[in-house]
Amino acid sequence: MFGKAYKHKSNNTLKNSEKKHLAQRILNEHPAATEETVKEIVPVKSNTSCMKLTLHSGETVGVFVVDGVPMVIEAGAALLPTVCALWRAPSLLPTLIVHTPVVPKLAGGAPLYAPGVVLADPMTFPRFSRGDLIAVATVDNGAAGAIGRATMSSTDLLRTSMGVCMEPLHVFGDLLCKEPKFGRIERPKMEPPGYSVMADSISKDIAQLSIQPIKEEWPSLVKEERQAPPEHPAALANEPRLIPDEEPAVEVSEEHALDETLATDSSQIEEDPVPSDMDELLQWCLLSFIKLEGKNLQLPLKTNLLYKNHLIPLCPPDRSIDVKKSSYKKMGKFLEAMQKEGLLEVREIEKGVSAVVGVAVLHPRVRAHRPPARAPPPAAEDEGPRPPLVRDLYCITANVTDLFAPLRKGTALSAADVRATLTEYVKTKGLNSSQQRGAVVLDSLLAKIAGQQEHETLKWEGLMNAVLNKMTPSTELQFPDGTVKVIKSKLEPIKMQVATRSGNKKVTLVSNLEAYGFNLLEMARVCQHGVAASCGVTRTPGAKCDQLMVQGDQTHFIAKLLIEKYGLPKKYLEGADKALNKKK
């Protein structure tokens, strides 16, 4: 359902009566639901909103978000719990236990096949009919990893060992779980699941059936043999490890302890010498990165962030890495070569955006590498949401290309860079006016840009404004995580508007916060505590994006919060001076 990109349609905060209606619908549609279960999913005192989405197929669904976490999906007339809801209420749906490698396959769009299900005694196997909603958990984690509709009944699943048994609707790791509005959703670690004993008469009837196991015609999802450690292929960090049932658990713990010992004692062993060749230095930094951060790495990791935030900081202070000075020339070719060696896996997660989706922490080169000891960074204080550094730029157009040669069309420059280039041009051509101080004699190029006659004189500020007017205003945003984004237009300021709602109540609407890197849900909590009034996220008719809505006229508080606490320049907040001068 959420395997492909979707579009936001609207987002509305629910009233208390609407939350009660939602809780009643959950009780009516799910027989296993109880009042305590529903209170876990939709607490009475919670900030609940309904987000309307248009899927890639054109279907419109609603997602009920409770305190920033998606809990219920409304598809047509049916309510589907999300995996986040099942983490709080595991007994809400019948749960199948599957092998660990199955869930990543479901996230990739594959259906659930019968060989991936761990079967059990008919007395303990969950009961469901064809078309019922069921959940999926793995043998090593009882937390639900996917939900879907059964394409065969539990009786048929016990009789066969092949075929599709479930079509997934929502899987942990799909685009809904990666939605930036929700923050980072992590699957909790719960006790390994087990089928509960069923004592109803239907289960007894199933026990009387003569069910014979059928030899599997599908390839087994669990490895039958395990090679010796030196010959074992390198395992990717984000791929689950497959452990055969007959293998003693002691071997796994011994290998894990050995790997931990290598990682822990690496600082006590002599470090690898830092190579001087640029190709080898790049590989040295990559091996150090995988050795030090591979096990705790949050994947996927965009390739541009890998180079800027991880490889460059690992380079020794007396050296500098530059992929352009290597034989690879580009980061993409370097990562492609490392992927062929089995050190990592790179995949295109979006159109034109590549990311590292796996690293081989057990690769022989990684295990043999001795990176330099690195002290843990000091814990940063929680300063709340921080806006990006905003810088006004101007892009070169065809009208001024000759002035800025050899720079190409579309290159973004700051106003200082434009002035420096213009000053150098005037100085080189000797165009300073000898008769009028602070003026420039226009040659053919400058006259064409300024729209005046050749050999006329023009003040410096007038010439500078004429050049800037011929260029395209742009904005550069440098976010706290190091990413830089250039917008080929002038960034609209944050707008505060006081509106009147029913009952002559005033509310403050704040627009365009997300363009400056603010998380609306986080800002809503800050404002709610700061002014002791209700605050939520909404979208008014005709608005292009979500807005922050605070009860009452809170323009003074919001202006003070954005400017004084988060360091947002005044010019990017519309009506800042008027709001700050207003009494509280």
Side-chain angles (χ1 to χ4, degrees), residues 127-143:
R127 293 285 303 158
F128 54 86
S129 303
R130 182 178 181 181
D132 288 353
L133 283 174
I134 57 176
V136 166
T138 54
V139 292
D140 60 345
N141 192 352

Side-chain angles (χ1 to χ4, degrees), residues 91-200:
S91 61
L92 192 61
L93 296 179
T95 303
L96 292 178
I97 304 174
V98 301
H99 298 291
T100 304
V102 173
V103 173
K105 302 297 182 183
L106 299 180
L112 176 61
Y113 291 93
V117 180
V118 177
L119 300 180
D121 187 87
M123 292 291 292
T124 61
F125 200 70
R127 293 285 303 158
F128 54 86
S129 303
R130 182 178 181 181
D132 288 353
L133 283 174
I134 57 176
V136 166
T138 54
V139 292
D140 60 345
N141 192 352
I147 64 166
R149 291 204 178 273
T151 56
M152 63 173 67
S153 64
S154 55
T155 306
D156 295 336
L157 181 57
L158 287 169
R159 285 179 171 178
T160 185
S161 62
M162 60 186 69
V164 177
C165 61
M166 187 194 80
E167 288 291 343
L169 297 175
H170 167 51
V171 186
F172 172 72
D174 59 14
L175 295 181
L176 182 65
C177 293
K178 297 177 181 179
E179 174 65 41
K181 295 179 182 294
F182 304 146
R184 188 172 63 185
I185 297 178
E186 296 182 355
R187 184 184 177 196
K189 185 69 175 180
M190 300 175 64
E191 294 183 1
Y195 296 125
S196 59
V197 179
M198 303 178 65
D200 56 7

Side-chain angles (χ1 to χ4, degrees), residues 224-304:
E224 297 180 357
E225 297 181 358
R226 181 169 182 170
Q227 303 293 336
E231 301 176 1
H232 191 281
L236 292 177
N238 69 326
E239 292 290 340
R241 299 186 58 183
L242 307 180
I243 304 174
D245 296 336
E246 67 274 7
E247 182 183 7
V250 179
E251 294 183 17
V252 180
S253 61
E254 287 178 355
E255 180 184 359
H256 180 71
L258 175 61
D259 190 58
E260 287 293 335
T261 304
L262 288 174
T264 305
D265 298 339
S266 61
S267 59
Q268 302 175 3
I269 305 175
E270 185 179 356
E271 301 172 0
D272 285 353
V274 181
S276 57
D277 182 70
M278 186 59 68
D279 290 5
E280 295 179 358
L281 182 59
L282 279 170
Q283 297 181 27
W284 187 88
C285 293
L286 179 64
L287 292 173
S288 300
F289 161 70
I290 298 175
K291 185 78 173 184
L292 295 173
E293 306 179 25
K295 291 186 176 180
N296 301 322
L297 188 61
Q298 296 293 332
L299 299 175
L301 174 64
K302 294 182 179 180
T303 54
N304 62 329

Side-chain angles (χ1 to χ4, degrees), residues 79-98:
L79 290 181
L80 319 176
T82 64
V83 291
C84 302
L86 294 180
W87 298 339
R88 298 187 182 181
S91 61
L92 192 61
L93 296 179
T95 303
L96 292 178
I97 304 174
V98 301

Side-chain angles (χ1 to χ4, degrees), residues 553-572:
D553 184 356
Q554 307 295 347
T555 53
H556 176 84
F557 170 80
I558 293 173
K560 200 174 183 65
L561 179 72
L562 294 176
I563 295 173
E564 296 184 5
K565 183 175 181 180
Y566 298 141
L568 184 74
K570 280 186 181 181
K571 64 179 180 179
Y572 297 113

